[in-house]
Amino acid sequence: MSKTVGPRPKAPVETHPEAAPQKKVGAVAVLGAGIAGMQASLDLGEMGFKVHLIDNKPAIGGVMAQLDKTFPTNDCAMCIMSPKLVDTGRHPNIQLHTNTELAGIDGQAGAFHLKLKKKPRFVDELQCNGCGDCAEVCPVSVFSEYDEGLVERKAIYRRYPQAIPNLFSIEKSGIPPCREACPAHVNIQGYVALISAGEYRKAYELIRERHPLPSVCGRICHHPCESACNRAEVDEPVAINYLKRFAADRILGEDATLREGDVADSQLDPPAESGESGNGEGKEGQTAAGPPKNREPVAVVGAGPAGLTAALDLAAAGYGVTIFEREAKPGGALYSAVPGYRLDKEVLFKEAQLILDHPNIEIRYGQSIGDRKRLRQLKKEGFGAVFVATGAAVSRELDIPGIDSQGVLNGVEFLHRVNTAGYTGQQGGADAEPLRLDGAVTVIGGGNVATDAARTARRLGARKVRIVYRRTRREMPAYPWEIEESLEEGIEILTGWSPQEVKTVDGRVAALRCAASRTVFDQEGKTGLLVNPEQTKELKTDFLIVAVGQNADPTVLSGMNGSAGSKGPKQAQGSPGPKSPKASKDQQGSKAPQVAKPPQVPKAVATGRGNTIGVEPLTLQTGVEWLFAGGDVVSGPASAVEAVAAGHAAAESIVRYLEGKDLRENREWILRPSAEAETLRIAGKPNRPVEKKARAVMPTLDPKKRIRSFESFELGFDEQTAREEAKRCLNCGTCSECMLCVSACGREAVNHRMAEQVVELDAGAVILATGADKFDPSGLDEYGYRRFPNVITAPEFERVLSASGPFEGHVLRPSDHAEPEKVAWVLCAGSRQMRQEGKPYCSAVCCMYSIKEAIIAREHAPGAVCHLYFMDIRAYGKDFEAYYERAQGLGGIEFRRARLSGIEEVPGSHDLRVMYVDEQERVREEVYQLVVLSTGLVAGAGTPELSRITGTRLNPHGFLAGDSLVSEQTNVPGIYVCGSAAAPRNIPESVTTASACAAYASALLKEARGSQVTAKSYPPELSLDDGESRVGVFVCHCGINIGAVVDVPAVAQYASGLPGVVYAEANLYTCSQDTQERIRAAVQERGINRVVVASCTPRTHEMLFQDTLREVGLNPFMFEFVGIREQCSWVHTEQKERATEKAKQLVAMGVSRARVLSPFHRSSFPVLKKALVIGGGVAGITAALAVADQGFETFLVEREIELGGNLRDLHYTLEGRDVQAFLAGLIERLDKHPLITVFTDCQVQDVSGYVGNYTTTIAPRSANGSGKGSKSGAPAQLQEVEHGAIIVATGAREIRTTEYLRGQSEAVITQRELEGRLAAGSLGIGSGQEDASGSPAPDRKPARKPVRIAMIQCVGSRDEQRPYCSRVCCQTAVKNALKIKQLDPEAEVTVFYRDVRTYGFSEEYYQKAREEGVLFLRYEPELKPEVHHEGEPPGHHGAQGRLLIRYRNLLLDRPEQMEADLLVLSTGMEPHEDRSIASILKLPLNRDGFLLEAHAKLRPLDFPTEGIYLCGAAHSPMAIQEVISQAAGAAARAVTLLAKDQIQSSGLTVQINERICSGCGLCVEVCPYEARVINEQSGKAEIIEVLCQGCGACATACPNGATLQIGFTKTQVYHMLEEVV
Amino acid sequence: MEHSTFEPRIIGFLCNWCTYAGADLAGTSRIQYPPNIRIIRMMCSGSLDPTYVLKVLLEGADGVLIGGCHPGECHYISGNLKARRRVAILKSVLEDAGLEPERVWLRWISASEGAYFAETVREMVDHIRALGPNPLKLEWAV
């Protein structure tokens, strides 16, 4: 066997245990900036770590930013989240990396090295101020993902109005296929978008950037763009070419004075491989149109589209260009070959003249280069390079008898004559005689020249015109529309006939004899023509026009290769051509650059079929290095746009050649430098539904009329048609690069050339918080999503409900924006499904959000009837059940337990018929106006890649796998996972797990805490407070956002006259960096000591200006903000005068207040860096360990003698983990931890102090109580400990009940007791059953009756006494039922339930239990199962006794009964009776007696009182892994406090004037934070500043005015009010 | 007609966390409303001193809008409920003083209700315009 050779596959993260421990990095990378990522970042930032918060979106906030309200509190999601957004955005230790993805990671826990890919925003983050002027002008509308596609947004956009960072960004999805298909790569989407916006001039200019002849092209182009158009998949391609013609006609028609210099400079074009390229400078030349630079001039031979394009590009690059043109007019084949009905010559000349007007271009007409004047001569005359673009205008000949007869015309010459001589001869040259073709005309050929000749002949009066072609019509090379139009004009097309002979009469054409012919294929697939001489036809004709193809003129190359037209050495196509002189030199190497000269090889120009010139295809260089060729002379007859493309390519090559640069480098894609690989891909079809809309039809002249003249028969679009047609564009590339935003931005922030960047950084730990995606129900056909407009998803309905959503919170349905009378929710849409299109797990959040949506919908539309179709309502969280009950009690909301069989539309109304099967298997249906699919969560699309990069494992459902007990730990040390990236989670669970991740990262990196953060330093405060108020006022234009409405200079002028104002000025953008300098100058020069800024809103900019004040040495409280944008210019746009008056008054109010501002210094307090944990269950132990692991001393107090709490009674988890072993491990760590002191058999007797400074008295509970473990011990007497933080982990207990014969029969036990028995391996049912529950004996009697076990759920929960759900009992029942089945597969297990609440991934175990035969029977709370003893009286120790359970079978709707050997009650959890901790710490309780956190959603582990934290079952019943998450999370919250040496008050606080305080205590009463106290010695009121949140309630309550609210004193407000009326 | 040209002066005392943010959202969403209101930011509707309202009314303001968070959503737990009690008393005082209590409006407007804020201002301007100028101001003008 051979060994594997080569490098082993490298694991993404390698650990080197033997390597010397690397220094840990005090920074953490958090991936994903939803609510979980923000929470983890804020916690870590507060703990003293540098945080890199990375998100692939342009703004942070995640899914929560899209939600309307949150359950179960109905809080507005944005209201509660936006302070977190702002905190995250401003936190000095958090660095945001938006639009950024993880690309790679190496290193190890403690010292990772990350490589990030930062996608370009195309908006400068330092310059953008979020004003939105760019989006106003952006012509591209795409579906808003923030509004779930219900409305549109622009391609340049801000994700949502409150987005942090408050910046716009541009979405680009690649090069649109139309632009890719266009040979000249004209920015088609761009000009189409501009036309849709009515910006015709800009559209025209944009076309001209890549195509100098838009009007011409708009008439004759064969538009490959339209063939590539994605719109064809919807209906028909956009009429791109007609749109181009519209824009060009419009501009050329209205403005004949358009000059070359008018064409705007573009950011994207022309391409540049480096800043110093000729093109880069060329832009300058183009706009300035200055004289040619001191460089060799270039000769261009031929003024066709290729020559003109090259000339213009070269002229723009600063080269003098001389064009040599044989004809007397420019245009080449466009002039001489294209008939006037296709191209109005005046249009051609006008556009050509625009090019020729360029000051660097000279044209010489009537100059034929070839035999008389040779190309080499041009070179000798001093032209540095020559571009040959002479076309292919020599007709091929047809060699048949009689072809020389009179009346036989050459097609090309015929067209040339008609075109150059004027269509009827009158206006032609002097030698032109009127050309009349009165008679029958036969045209031989099948190309465009043939159709042109035929149609021209028709217009010259030919009676009958016929085209004869050898092959089939399908094989005709002419464009299909040319053939179509020819037929319309009465031209006969005869195919399959090959001309054989011209029959003559008197030397003049009389007839054409043809033989039948057809195409044949030889064995190699090459085509040939088979002519059947037997089958002939004679066509009578008066004229014969031969149009069988064209060649290039061989004389052009005269003298180049010895003799004219001789074949030179074949230049292999595709092989690198000769390099430019400089490049050649470089290739010689650096040793002797001066000596080596290129060897003299014979230079020759290759020629090809039809006398075409051979060139290197990329560079268009011929075998002679100074000679370039392009257009038809290279390709043979082709289109004008291809010639234009060649012109661009040649000009690029010539510039490179003349500047000594490599001709080939970076030319694979001519549009952009290759660094922008991401934006170079070809955009696909936008993934969204598009309504069909027919393509606009070009109005044309009737064929009968049009054949009478050479007038253009296509009449052009009118404006409305054009704009409507332009709107059909799907915007495949999203941003159209029309550049309107560039000109709209007043701060020059938009930069379309931004490239993707690679950012590398070090981080000691990585937290994955990338969230989940929303399930897309398109695949579930029976729901009709995307087919029926009024079937929407719950996330979409969330936006419908939102006041900031598309309908401003009105409940409307999409199809007709009518208010629905009846709305249905379909729960588990895509979740709990065994089929492939759905997900098997429960998405955990849908039941609750559906209830919430129904409640809110009823609030917004009180008449709406709401029906929820569900399997089980999973209201398992804290206060969820009460919310569910409330919804049931509201009226109008009905819950229907049913299975949906389908949804169909009621014909004619867009109403929806929901068909379902009820619990009794009856088929029913009901009609709704709106159906909401309660779709669940799926693993994020980027998760597999993230898993690959980080080496973290995925679970079977594609989520990132955490440990089954410590959910945040991944398989990779140092990488943690939180939120919905690991499992479907609601907001508080996401926040909790995020904090837990912060705890683990903080523990890992504790040595490096503080090492990567630097406090910003400020200069000392200037002493400018001499009693005089000197106010400086800065009034902001905000570009045009304020300035266009409010007369800003007038406001500044007005301000300068206000009392106290010593300086006032108006700024374009007051938030820009230079204003800081202006404020500094005002401070230094005028001694201003108060600053008023009149601009946007304090909510986004107050902190920034306060910081500015500190930087210039002013106290930050000497600042006043006046909002004249949000409160004035943006809301009174049409009332400019009144807005200006209002702005003046607002400024006066601000100045008045500023005059009485006084400085304030935030106070700070030391923190005792120790924690107290109350409770020694799994929550308390985990919390204590988590705090101590982070390096802080911790005291743990437990009432009982033994540690472990409820965990002592649990043995295994649903996933099969050994609980006791886990607990033993925890206790062992606890005992060994040097920073933890454990007090068992003790209780907290008293706590005094406040956040950061607590003193706690610990008392022993029993005299003989002795501690367990080495360091623990019950003190004999009271003991005091001092600490800064408190974690409450007092837990809960199993509910005690007497229901269902509990306590009367030994056959009735609880789940805990059952678990104990199962762990011991025995069910303990009577002697006869003893062996059955142990390991099944092989010799067991087969006739034995199977063991029957019944379980009843919700015992003591969800009833009147305890209305809440205990959350864990369903999982426990499933766990134990599976264990029973494992021990005894014969056992019959029946579970009586109300709703099976196996949320999240535990759903799988429920399914497994059902598969294994566990019977689940539902009961109604009004009709609980009845339990009786059979045979023996109650209380008897019943081996013989059997339990009889009577119940109602709801499926069959009839009473039934069963016997059971054992009845197991799922009794749930309840709070401890002893509430002393709550009363000592003054902690609030909810109505069920559990401790109430500060905020159910965003502060689940905090109390309203700072410094005290919460975790575990004291919060609410929860599973072990959830307790562990909370405990670690609470530890993180505590450490955000303990990590600080000092805590600083926010400055939002009050001051007390002790002199007038009477000590009445009213302030103490009203303070919601217990921040106000009466000093027992002085009798005066005090403020505990660290507790104060600054609401000001006490200041208002104070009857004496002794309390002053900082920044809102009565004096200050009164001063404002003085100015207000 | 005096009423058609009468432009009411309305003072808004808005809480920092909900209604002021709602007014900002009306701005960022460019929702138009009449320029008759002058907004004064308070940290909490619960810290509104009733004398502020009295002062502006005595000096001739035609209406006062007090904006707070929806009940249950107060950033400071219960400040909005304090405001509600205070405003109730204040209105009865105004009534005793002979001033229409409907010149003082208390509204719960959340940070996401920009449109509702604008609508409230429009509605209030119309209402006060119909009601006419503050009679106290006329008396003081004598």
Side-chain angles (χ1 to χ4, degrees), chain A residues 709-927:
Chain A
S709 82
F710 279 89
E711 296 284 301
S712 173
F713 64 94
E714 290 182 329
L715 303 173
F717 283 158
D718 61 29
E719 182 171 3
Q720 198 192 339
T721 309
R723 288 188 72 166
E724 284 303 310
E725 179 63 17
K727 283 181 186 141
R728 290 180 67 236
C729 175
L730 297 179
N731 292 309
C732 303
T734 313
C735 169
S736 69
E737 296 181 347
C738 70
M739 305 294 152
L740 281 178
C741 51
V742 176
S743 32
C745 180
R747 293 174 61 97
E748 298 182 358
V750 183
N751 177 5
H752 284 267
R753 272 192 168 279
M754 270 186 192
E756 187 175 289
Q757 289 175 310
V758 173
V759 178
E760 298 198 30
L761 51 87
D762 291 316
V766 178
I767 294 174
L768 307 176
T770 45
D773 280 355
K774 296 158 204 156
F775 177 78
D776 177 2
S778 308
L780 302 169
D781 285 342
E782 70 276 21
Y783 294 151
Y785 180 67
R786 296 259 190 242
R787 272 188 296 139
F788 309 140
N790 294 327
V791 176
I792 64 173
T793 66
E796 288 166 18
F797 195 64
E798 228 26 79
R799 296 310 303 152
V800 169
L801 288 175
S802 172
S804 64
F807 307 140
E808 292 179 353
H810 295 291
V811 180
L812 305 176
R813 65 180 198 166
S815 71
D816 50 9
H817 291 194
E819 197 168 282
E821 289 162 24
K822 287 169 73 183
V823 187
W825 276 259
V826 179
L827 276 67
C828 298
S831 302
R832 299 181 66 186
Q833 300 212 355
M834 290 301 128
R835 45 193 284 206
Q836 184 129 40
E837 297 84 2
K839 298 290 172 189
Y841 54 83
C842 158
S843 286
V845 294
C846 327
C847 286
M848 291 307 294
Y849 78 56
S850 303
I851 298 173
K852 173 199 74 182
E853 289 189 346
I855 291 175
I856 306 296
R858 293 265 312 161
E859 275 179 17
H860 291 205
V865 172
C866 300
H867 291 167
L868 279 76
Y869 290 91
F870 72 100
M871 293 197 269
D872 297 284
I873 287 291
R874 296 190 162 167
Y876 56 86
K878 188 177 191 177
D879 293 331
F880 287 7
E881 183 72 19
Y883 193 72
Y884 174 33
E885 275 177 21
R886 191 182 134 208
Q888 287 171 298
L890 280 177
I893 302 177
E894 193 185 313
F895 290 81
R896 291 185 172 174
R897 204 178 288 268
R899 289 199 320 274
L900 224 70
S901 51
I903 298 171
E904 56 181 37
E905 217 169 51
V906 178
S909 69
H910 287 309
D911 286 356
L912 300 154
R913 181 175 293 116
V914 170
M915 294 158 294
Y916 64 98
V917 180
D918 73 6
E919 211 180 6
Q920 282 78 44
E921 303 285 335
R922 286 172 297 207
V923 179
R924 308 202 156 205
E925 60 175 55
E926 187 149 353
V927 172

Side-chain angles (χ1 to χ4, degrees), chain A residues 185-420:
Chain A
H185 299 308
V186 173
N187 181 0
I188 291 160
Q189 192 198 323
Y191 74 72
V192 170
L194 286 165
I195 291 168
S196 77
E199 294 277 0
Y200 311 125
R201 176 171 297 272
K202 289 202 164 83
Y204 180 73
E205 287 167 356
L206 192 64
I207 301 165
R208 278 203 94 223
E209 283 178 10
R210 293 296 308 165
H211 196 312
L213 302 165
S215 296
V216 173
C217 191
R219 285 167 165 76
I220 59 147
C221 193
H222 67 300
H223 46 71
C225 49
E226 295 187 20
S227 312
C229 179
N230 278 330
R231 179 87 204 192
E233 287 175 38
V234 180
D235 36 43
E236 295 166 278
V238 175
I240 296 170
N241 202 40
Y242 293 152
L243 287 173
K244 175 165 54 198
R245 174 177 164 180
F246 166 79
D249 283 0
R250 179 109 181 169
I251 298 309
L252 280 190
E254 76 185 24
D255 184 4
T257 62
L258 188 81
R259 286 181 307 108
E260 184 50 40
D262 291 350
V263 176
D265 180 22
S266 154
Q267 284 198 358
L268 283 182
D269 202 85
E273 90 278 26
S274 72
E276 50 174 39
S277 101
N279 283 310
E281 293 170 46
K283 279 193 267 177
E284 209 178 297
Q286 191 172 3
T287 42
K293 292 176 186 169
N294 190 17
R295 286 171 178 158
E296 295 163 286
V298 179
V300 171
V301 184
L308 288 172
T309 303
L312 182 58
D313 281 2
L314 288 162
Y319 289 88
V321 181
T322 304
I323 306 175
F324 297 89
E325 170 57 47
R326 190 173 58 178
E327 305 286 340
K329 304 234 180 218
L334 297 173
Y335 164 58
S336 61
V338 179
Y341 60 86
R342 278 175 63 197
L343 175 62
D344 180 350
K345 301 293 154 164
E346 289 311 310
V347 168
L348 168 66
F349 298 149
K350 209 179 212 176
E351 276 192 335
Q353 199 55 46
L354 279 177
I355 299 166
L356 299 172
D357 282 347
H358 195 290
N360 294 355
I361 297 177
E362 183 198 342
I363 185 163
R364 296 187 198 156
Y365 292 110
Q367 299 263 321
S368 186
I369 303 295
D371 283 336
R372 270 176 298 168
K373 186 180 175 91
R374 298 191 166 189
L375 288 169
R376 284 204 187 279
Q377 214 174 319
L378 294 175
K379 178 74 173 125
K380 281 186 195 131
E381 283 172 17
F383 291 104
V386 178
F387 177 47
V388 176
T390 45
V394 178
S395 247
R396 279 203 193 130
E397 283 163 16
L398 185 66
D399 191 17
I400 55 170
I403 200 73
D404 297 328
S405 329
Q406 208 187 336
V408 179
L409 302 169
N410 168 319
V412 174
E413 281 164 22
F414 167 66
L415 289 173
H416 182 269
R417 181 165 166 203
V418 176
N419 281 315
T420 57

